[in-house]
């Protein structure tokens, strides 16, 4: 199985970081590409970030209330 990194996307040019609000899946859960994986808050707006691949959520690297920089790895999926 190949590991796929889940990267915090940039939703606007001024966005530099975001806060993890909550994970919608937990390690060991099956995920489908495009399904909501995590909620983040950036610029007072909460957004669902979709899974970049189908597989099993292997590891969560950023916990709720963590502030994470754009393009940082926040989780790993085994595809």
């Amino acid at each position: 199985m190949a590991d796929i990194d889940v990267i915090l996307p940039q939703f606007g040019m001024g966005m530099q970081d975001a806060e993890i609000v909550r994970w919608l899946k937990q390690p060991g859960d099956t995920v489908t590409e495009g399904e909501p994986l995590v909620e983040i808050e950036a610029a007072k707006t909460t957004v669902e970030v979709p899974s970049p691949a189908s597989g099993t959520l292997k590891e969560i690297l950023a916990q709720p209330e963590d502030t994470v920089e754009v393009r940082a790895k926040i989780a790993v999926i085994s595809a």
Side-chain angles (χ1 to χ4, degrees), residues 34-56:
E35 96 176 281
L37 183 61
V38 61
E39 289 181 353
I40 64 164
E41 183 177 310
K44 304 296 178 193
T45 302
T46 302
V47 178
E48 290 181 342
V49 176
S51 176
S54 295
T56 302

Side-chain angles (χ1 to χ4, degrees), residues 1-78:
M1 284 190 177
D3 286 345
I4 306 294
D5 294 339
V6 179
I7 305 297
L8 180 69
Q10 183 174 22
F11 293 110
M13 292 192 70
M15 183 180 157
Q16 296 178 1
D17 57 29
E19 181 179 317
I20 303 296
V21 175
R22 73 180 176 119
W23 285 93
L24 304 173
K25 297 286 187 172
Q26 296 302 313
D29 288 352
T30 300
V31 296
T32 303
E33 183 175 358
E35 96 176 281
L37 183 61
V38 61
E39 289 181 353
I40 64 164
E41 183 177 310
K44 304 296 178 193
T45 302
T46 302
V47 178
E48 290 181 342
V49 176
S51 176
S54 295
T56 302
L57 183 58
K58 179 177 179 180
E59 183 179 14
I60 291 175
L61 304 172
Q63 301 302 317
E65 298 184 12
D66 285 354
T67 298
V68 182
E69 292 185 20
V70 168
R71 292 184 287 282
K73 180 165 65 169
I74 58 173
V76 179
I77 294 171
S78 290

